[in-house]
Amino acid sequence: MKKYLMTNMRLKTSILNDFNSKPYIVCTLLFLFFGQINETHAYEPNTGHAFIFSLAIEQFLSCHQDKKQSIPDINIFTKRLIQGNVAMDKSLGWNIRDRLLLKNASVFSFQTRTRNWHFYNSKQQKHAQVANINQSMTNLWDEALVGFHENKKLNDKLLFVGALAHLLEDATVPAHITPIYHGPTAIKFLNAKQMAKLVNYMKERSDSRFVIHDNLDKYPVEVSKLRAKLRQKTSCGSLAKSENSVSNLLLQNERFTQILLETPIIECSNFVWKSFWTPPKENEYFGRYNIENENILFGEKGNLTDSNGASCSFDKDDVRYREFAQKLHLQAIETDVRLLETLLL
């Protein structure tokens, strides 16, 4: 409890403490300017995160009809969960009641997000802190979990369940668990020595001059196909795993994504999916996109090449891209279901 109070107070007073801090002011301006650009998120909030989580909620309610019957209004239940999920990128908006009466509402605030990013690599966490910015999602994760336990009303708790689901979903994005920075390139003004290198190498690409995009964020969530796969692949019993603590779910998604990145690319036996994303060096937090030798980024048409001259070709709407993204989406959905089961049953 003492740790919670200290952390919560630190988050709530961050504006006053850092108002005269140049890095904080620059960071705030950056996110005010770029905050609505979809590519700065992991999955796009309304068509990525919301669709993935909606499928998870649907699966959860289908698996647990008794829970469904005990919920007064399914629409409000679902809406509140998704509101909390999307709020991790877009805040709670102008809902005065939530802002004033919700305990730990600061986890959804714009100010908190500017200083706590959504990347995660459990092996590189000691390198995540740069000045007053935590480049990982760990603070947000801890605070969302505290918010779930501190708020007593179900409708309030649901917001924090949505927040945790959002971060779980982020952990199925390769650029978030490798991790590789994407977002406004102006972060280099926050700390030129440490952050300029996160964006300067992408100057070679004209489309990354102001914002570095991650194409996987924009890959459509194929709702009907995913719904069919959920029916085929799993039963309710296989989704429920009582030994899973909430924190283990985050590690599971990280491991799943890392293992998938080591999977060979079909028709390109010399390449694995990690070929698109270069891991960080031992003493660094962020890796980089593999754009050496004019390599394409994930989702683009063209070639990947390696140091031996081998090449792997992709079409613009390559089926291999879609299948790779679908595996990540399915993992996010199934882990979301486990989260709902762990916290709400």
Side-chain angles (χ1 to χ4, degrees):
M1 178 61 70
K2 182 178 179 181
K3 178 182 177 183
Y4 156 66
L5 291 173
M6 292 177 65
T7 304
N8 197 36
M9 184 175 293
R10 183 171 64 253
L11 288 172
K12 287 184 176 180
T13 59
S14 61
I15 300 177
L16 294 176
N17 290 343
D18 297 305
F19 186 77
N20 293 319
S21 167
K22 180 181 177 183
Y24 178 76
I25 294 172
V26 173
C27 195
T28 300
L29 291 174
L30 287 176
F31 279 87
L32 279 171
F33 187 72
F34 291 111
Q36 299 304 313
I37 296 179
N38 293 341
E39 289 81 0
T40 64
H41 307 299
Y43 295 119
E44 196 283 327
N46 294 316
T47 60
H49 280 291
F51 282 8
I52 287 170
F53 198 32
S54 293
L55 284 169
I57 297 167
E58 177 185 305
Q59 183 73 14
F60 169 74
L61 292 173
S62 174
C63 287
H64 303 284
Q65 292 293 330
D66 55 335
K67 183 67 177 178
K68 186 174 182 178
Q69 293 168 4
S70 68
I71 299 171
D73 192 318
I74 296 296
N75 290 331
I76 293 177
F77 175 84
T78 301
K79 183 178 179 180
R80 196 68 167 167
L81 284 167
I82 294 175
Q83 180 188 359
N85 187 296
V86 173
M88 289 302 284
D89 280 335
K90 293 194 167 184
S91 82
L92 289 173
W94 299 105
N95 189 317
I96 301 300
R97 188 266 173 199
D98 285 341
R99 283 176 174 268
L100 296 180
L101 299 182
L102 195 69
K103 294 180 180 178
N104 245 37
S106 57
V107 75
F108 298 105
S109 74
F110 179 77
Q111 292 80 12
T112 299
R113 184 177 171 233
T114 62
R115 295 177 52 190
N116 295 272
W117 298 354
H118 288 197
F119 301 98
Y120 183 73
N121 184 318
S122 59
K123 295 181 180 179
Q124 300 294 111
Q125 287 306 107
K126 62 183 178 181
H127 304 299
Q129 192 75 31
V130 176
N132 64 346
I133 295 174
N134 190 321
Q135 299 170 122
S136 80
M137 64 172 69
T138 51
N139 285 348
L140 296 172
W141 178 269
D142 292 342
E143 286 298 304
L145 194 54
V146 169
F148 171 80
H149 290 296
E150 289 294 310
N151 287 277
K152 302 307 177 186
K153 294 182 179 179
L154 177 61
N155 265 10
D156 293 339
K157 285 180 173 291
L158 294 177
L159 288 177
F160 293 93
V161 177
L164 290 164
H166 180 110
L167 298 174
L168 279 179
E169 292 155 16
D170 283 355
T172 63
V173 179
H176 278 252
I177 63 93
T178 301
I180 295 166
Y181 177 80
H182 52 284
T185 58
I187 60 159
K188 60 188 176 183
F189 297 118
L190 297 176
N191 187 310
K193 182 179 179 180
Q194 291 179 274
M195 293 189 174
K197 59 187 175 183
L198 303 182
V199 298
N200 284 346
Y201 76 101
M202 291 293 284
K203 285 181 178 179
E204 302 171 26
R205 293 182 55 97
S206 59
D207 60 344
S208 299
R209 192 167 298 161
F210 300 108
V211 179
I212 298 174
H213 308 296
D214 188 85
N215 292 332
L216 186 61
D217 299 348
K218 298 181 292 184
Y219 251 76
V221 178
E222 299 181 89
V223 173
S224 59
K225 290 183 179 180
L226 287 167
R227 188 178 283 129
K229 282 186 176 292
L230 282 168
R231 289 196 297 265
Q232 295 169 3
K233 180 181 178 183
T234 61
S235 65
C236 296
S238 66
L239 284 176
K241 293 188 177 180
S242 58
E243 72 273 13
N244 287 328
S245 70
V246 174
S247 296
N248 281 342
L249 295 177
L250 186 60
L251 290 171
Q252 285 174 20
N253 275 4
E254 179 195 20
R255 292 191 192 106
F256 174 90
T257 309
Q258 289 172 340
I259 291 171
L260 190 60
L261 287 171
E262 297 291 347
T263 304
I265 299 174
I266 296 174
E267 298 179 5
C268 294
S269 58
N270 292 332
F271 295 85
V272 295
W273 284 103
K274 190 170 68 174
S275 300
F276 286 102
W277 299 277
T278 303
K281 296 178 182 178
E282 186 176 346
N283 62 341
E284 295 180 350
Y285 188 66
F286 284 108
R288 53 192 286 165
Y289 291 104
N290 179 15
I291 59 171
E292 300 293 331
N293 303 316
E294 299 183 351
N295 280 336
I296 58 172
L297 297 175
F298 179 91
E300 295 179 342
K301 179 179 180 178
N303 299 317
L304 273 178
T305 59
D306 64 17
S307 57
N308 297 319
S311 179
C312 181
S313 298
F314 289 85
D315 295 325
K316 176 64 176 176
D317 191 29
D318 201 297
V319 66
R320 292 170 294 179
Y321 285 146
R322 298 203 307 273
E323 290 178 349
F324 181 80
Q326 195 173 91
K327 290 176 182 177
L328 295 169
H329 295 162
L330 188 61
Q331 173 68 14
I333 292 167
E334 291 188 349
T335 317
D336 279 351
V337 173
R338 295 187 191 115
L339 175 76
L340 292 167
E341 290 174 332
T342 303
L343 295 181
L344 298 181
L345 290 184

